[in-house]
Amino acid sequence: MKKFVIISLPIFLVGVIIYSLISWALSERVLIPESSYEKTINSINENWGKPYDYWLGLLPEAVPFTVETFDGLELRGNYFALSDSSTCAIIFAHGWGSTWPGMIKYVPAFENCNCDYVFYDHRVHGESGGQYATGGIYEANDLLAVTDWVNAQKGFSDGQIGWMGSSWGAATSIMAGVDRRSVAFIIADAPFQDWYSAVFERGVREYGAGVKLLSLGVIQAVELRSGIDFQEASAVEIINQVDEPILLLHSKADSATASTQSVNLAANMKQQNSEFHHLDFGNDHVKDVLNNTEEWRNLVEGFLRKQAPQVLKAVPEE
């Protein structure tokens, strides 16, 4: 018996070490995105049907800006002033591993809004600072910091500002909505319901169901490295505290973030001023706006006409 214990103990310790090393390695993927402008622009050129220069041509001249976060990081972005007579601003929050140009595809959906466009890179993305991503926890504060900057520099009140989030940025926008301020609207395209679901749903697809056996180790590694509570990154737990009108959109054919995550979000959000559209166009993750632009724009404009008409130009009812 003693011999068995002596032999088993080294094997157990080796197993723990291997488990810890694999968990640490996987936490790298959770905390540090592969993000660059080159990667984003190549993706646009390959997947959007028209080259990046076409999409950039939809916008007026860019004015670069920087915003300091609550923890001293520098966020970099670009402000596109529609005209001197703009009456609102839309802040775009991009997805994981992307950069601000990845949000230009949403611009045609807002062509009947009288709003300036504000794009920025999330922390640890593009040209913004930071060491680790935090599942939307600190990113929500970053979105609020950009909103404060727009308030101060452009003179728009919270009620003249809307948030357009895609995927990771969509969940971030929902989490930011629990703040005391009240922006005009939140549009969330294919958000995740919580960080655990976002990470391990994709992990199972990439590595198989066995990756869930590593979940405890990965979560502990993430928390140790970032200093945040993994469980706090949950839009589904707090969406019922969001007073702003939310337009929640998600393709049923999404292979990256299952649309059931938005089904769960919709079940918890305040129904009196919000909408959920479970889209059946057959498009993959955040591709509805590209492949069914007119239908997507109609959903957005119909929502804004009811919930935030102040941001629209004078257009006749259809």
Side-chain angles (χ1 to χ4, degrees):
M1 183 66 179
K2 288 183 179 179
K3 185 177 181 181
F4 175 77
V5 172
I6 291 171
I7 294 174
S8 298
L9 183 58
I11 295 174
F12 173 76
L13 291 175
V14 169
V16 169
I17 291 170
I18 292 173
Y19 181 91
S20 299
L21 289 174
I22 295 174
S23 297
W24 191 271
L26 290 176
S27 73
E28 193 89 357
R29 295 198 61 185
V30 176
L31 292 168
I32 304 174
E34 296 179 4
S35 171
S36 70
Y37 290 130
E38 181 181 9
K39 177 186 172 186
T40 303
I41 292 169
N42 285 342
S43 179
I44 291 171
N45 288 335
E46 292 172 7
N47 301 311
W48 287 18
K50 294 177 181 177
Y52 171 64
D53 288 344
Y54 164 83
W55 295 96
L56 192 62
L58 300 177
L59 296 166
E61 184 177 356
V63 177
F65 69 88
T66 60
V67 171
E68 184 174 340
T69 68
F70 76 98
D71 54 345
L73 302 180
E74 189 176 77
L75 303 178
R76 291 182 175 270
N78 285 283
Y79 193 98
F80 296 87
L82 186 66
S83 70
D84 292 336
S85 61
S86 298
T87 57
C88 51
I90 301 170
I91 302 175
F92 295 82
H94 65 74
W96 174 260
S98 187
T99 53
W100 74 262
M103 294 298 288
I104 299 176
K105 64 185 176 184
Y106 291 101
V107 167
F110 296 97
E111 64 182 7
N112 287 322
C113 291
N114 196 37
C115 298
D116 295 341
Y117 301 128
V118 188
F119 299 88
Y120 71 100
D121 294 331
H122 284 305
R123 60 175 57 214
V124 208
H125 286 77
E127 292 187 344
S128 291
Q131 185 177 14
Y132 299 126
T134 66
I137 299 172
Y138 290 169
E139 289 83 357
N141 287 323
D142 296 345
L143 176 54
L144 294 171
V146 175
T147 303
D148 287 340
W149 181 87
V150 175
N151 291 151
Q153 298 297 320
K154 303 301 177 179
F156 292 130
S157 66
D158 290 340
Q160 294 174 291
I161 296 172
W163 297 337
M164 170 68 239
S166 177
S167 189
W168 176 282
T172 292
S173 299
I174 292 169
M175 285 188 265
V178 302
D179 186 75
R180 56 175 174 75
R181 75 198 66 202
S182 183
V183 296
F185 62 85
I186 299 171
I187 299 177
D189 185 14
F192 58 78
Q193 65 180 31
D194 53 58
W195 206 6
Y196 181 91
S197 299
V199 170
F200 291 102
E201 183 183 85
R202 295 191 185 194
V204 167
R205 282 196 293 270
E206 291 186 30
Y207 303 109
V211 76
K212 286 192 173 182
L213 296 174
L214 294 163
S215 61
L216 179 60
V218 172
I219 290 170
Q220 289 180 333
V222 166
E223 293 184 341
L224 179 64
R225 298 176 72 177
S226 65
I228 57 95
D229 183 349
F230 196 93
Q231 301 303 318
E232 289 184 5
S234 177
V236 73
E237 290 294 327
I238 61 176
I239 193 171
N240 61 352
Q241 301 173 40
V242 178
D243 292 324
E244 287 94 343
I246 300 172
L247 175 60
L248 183 58
L249 303 153
H250 210 134
S251 172
K252 291 181 179 179
D254 193 328
S255 66
T257 300
S259 63
T260 52
Q261 297 199 42
S262 280
V263 171
N264 295 334
L265 286 163
N268 285 354
M269 72 182 181
K270 295 182 178 179
Q271 303 296 326
Q272 66 271 20
N273 63 347
S274 297
E275 299 177 11
F276 171 46
H277 294 275
H278 208 181
L279 302 176
D280 202 13
F281 300 131
N283 298 309
D284 206 347
H285 191 57
V286 298
K287 293 293 193 303
D288 288 318
V289 69
L290 283 172
N291 299 331
N292 292 84
T293 305
E294 184 175 354
E295 294 93 335
W296 211 90
R297 181 173 57 240
N298 287 339
L299 289 173
V300 168
E301 289 187 6
F303 169 77
L304 294 177
R305 197 171 292 120
K306 288 184 288 186
Q307 302 296 341
Q310 71 274 16
V311 306
L312 291 170
K313 299 174 184 176
V315 291
E317 292 274 354
E318 292 185 0

